[in-house]
Amino acid sequence: MKALEKEELLRAKIPCEETGITVKTGICGFCGGSCLVDAYCKDGKVIKVEGNKDMPGSNGRICVKGAALKQSLYHPDRLLYPMKRIGERGEGKFERISWDEALTTIAEKMTETKEKYGAKETLIYVGHPKWFRPQLTELANGYGTPNFGTESSTCAYSLMMACMSTFGQEVRMPMPDMQRCKILVVWGVNSLYSNSVTAGGAFIGAVKRGVKLIVVDPRCTPTSEHADIHLRPIPGTDGALALGMARVIITEGLQNQEYIDKYTIGFDEYKDYVMQFTPERVEEITGVPKEDMTAAARLMAKEAPCPIQLSASPVVHNVNGMQNARAIVLLLALTGSFGVEGGTLPPGPGRAVLREAFLGTMHARVDADQDLSHEEFPAWARLTAQEAQVTRLADYMEGKGAYPIRTILSFGMNHHMWPRPDRLEEGFKKLDFFVSADLYMTDTGKFADIVLPIQTSLEREQVAVLGADTVYYQAPVVEPMGEARSDMDVITGLAEKLGITIGGEEPIRCHEDYLRKSVSATGLTLEEIRQAPKGIKARKIMPGRTSEQILQVKTPSGKIEFVSSIMASCNKEGNEALPVYHDFREKLPMDEYPLILTTGSRKPQLFHSRTYRMPWLANLEEYPLVEIHPDDAQKLGMEDNEIVMIKTPVGSMELVLSINSSCLPGAVNVYHGAGDKDINLLIDDNYLDPVSGFPGYKSYCCRLEKKEVHHE
């Protein structure tokens, strides 16, 4: 072969004998999903990533974040070795140490805290990724602390609480029947940006089938472009909209009364409550024209079953969020759309599962009633018994709880995901001891005493279930960078130092033990799975369920609850048994800050703060941007791309203005996580949902001012 031809093949990254390029299939894992990618490798390094199109559930697509996987893997901020702090907290000055010294030091410091103050003054925390939470809970239990917390304190659990209080403890994040529905409500989700490869693909498939589509979203998005009806409520008013739709359905006799009588409880009390949400009042509260709201309600009921697609955070990132979510999911009960074909959580065939997967088995905590959040958030304590609500972590580190948090062991902690990250930084400085295990030297890690290097998804062995019953094994696509270890090896190594056994009667002492135990639920051995590069069918699957089985719900009453008995047991403000609507604007100085601030609306290239460090992603647009509607820009006399001051009751910040007609007039959108320009710095950390403790990220208040120009 001519040298020129070989150079051309190398430049084109063509896998062949001449180039030495091979293709290995792996699990992306960038956002925590399990999308498969084909990694083009040369000389032991990934040089290119594409979407896989051969395995079950794959379609050849890759999202823009996955396309930057190579930059994620080889970023200069990657942690390569265990290190200990040698400077002041926050300076980011560290020196390399051995794994043995790191784990021994951590075990000694945790033991010291336990013996001196009690185990509960240690917090064990998990951010991203999530797959090892059950085993880390075991470590927390063995150590003796009830203060086990995760990023789900401001991610998914509020929506899960809404579902569990309505449909029972087993129903956390019910999925719509995208393959069989005739109509679909997409509420607060931009499917084509959020989890675009899988959820976006399913959404497009439903659209192509001719499904009638109702989209509820204040913004115009690629998803809403497909809508038959697009409802654009003022952020934070979703509950009033849902209650108004319920009133239309009931007053016009469109509810599924047979379903209600057979499977639900509390309908009459709910019916009386929703009568106050007249179309005129709902339009006044939400800004949605009453004709559009009425048309959507009628379409939902007449075409039922009608599933509702919700995402983890948008609806519940409001100070009335959990009750708003309850009002929304109760539309499923009202229309007979839960647990039925074509609805939400439909009957279906069995599926293979892995043992003790993230939400498959969450272990009960020791002394859960002694965690720091137990009394403040009683509904959380009753519905989310697996972990503490840690949204007040800054207070706990400052000693403002029943007792202080002195030591933190964290995996993948990103303090920028919380309101007022500056307060958390001040809290970190007060800790006796702080450990950060992560992929990168992050802003959080700079405050740690010990930092531990963690493997990426492509650097460790892992197993996933593809489709309904195909078990797929991924060998490490590339060797780990430096001395990075898997999270599981870190957990089991620390457990050994502490004298704690993980896994009970089937001990887990390393990552391979974890994989063996995980795959045992499929009836396969790890050796069998390793020998099947294209996947292997599971011998055991969880049985499918019929509608009747699904509708035998695990609520205290045994019925779908319009009036929640768990919420009724919580003697706390905002924890009403009915899905009562509270208007967030009554808590805010709207006269002084008349614009509604929404943070975190999905962008296809961003995944919290993590993606800001990737040049391919960060360079797609200037950031961070303040996005407003052209009408608001005209009123304020502002122009596109000028620097403006955004002010809230907490503080102010200079950001670049983007005039965007997709925004709702009166609303301001800013994506979060951009280091010293992180918009969460301007969100009051006392602005919380009294039910779930979630921050009000989607409906705070602000004003915009032109930047002052000083002439010398």
Side-chain angles (χ1 to χ4, degrees), residues 147-174:
N147 288 305
F148 173 80
T150 77
E151 51 77 41
S152 292
S153 285
T154 181
C155 179
Y157 278 179
S158 184
L159 178 58
M160 292 183 185
M161 289 169 65
C163 294
M164 290 187 289
S165 64
T166 303
F167 304 113
Q169 289 281 359
E170 294 180 353
V171 181
R172 291 166 172 160
M173 195 77 74

Side-chain angles (χ1 to χ4, degrees), residues 413-468:
M413 176 183 273
N414 171 21
H415 73 279
H416 286 288
M417 74 179 297
W418 305 97
R420 293 294 306 275
D422 54 325
R423 281 203 62 218
L424 285 161
E425 291 177 1
E426 291 304 310
F428 292 153
K429 293 176 183 178
K430 294 179 171 63
L431 290 171
D432 290 353
F433 189 66
F434 182 22
V435 179
S436 176
D438 214 318
L439 299 175
Y440 307 105
M441 176 56 76
T442 64
D443 288 350
T444 304
K446 291 175 182 177
F447 289 86
D449 296 286
I450 299 283
V451 292
L452 303 175
I454 298 298
Q455 295 170 358
T456 67
S457 181
L458 296 184
E459 293 173 317
R460 66 173 187 266
E461 281 189 294
Q462 52 186 326
V463 175
V465 175
L466 307 180

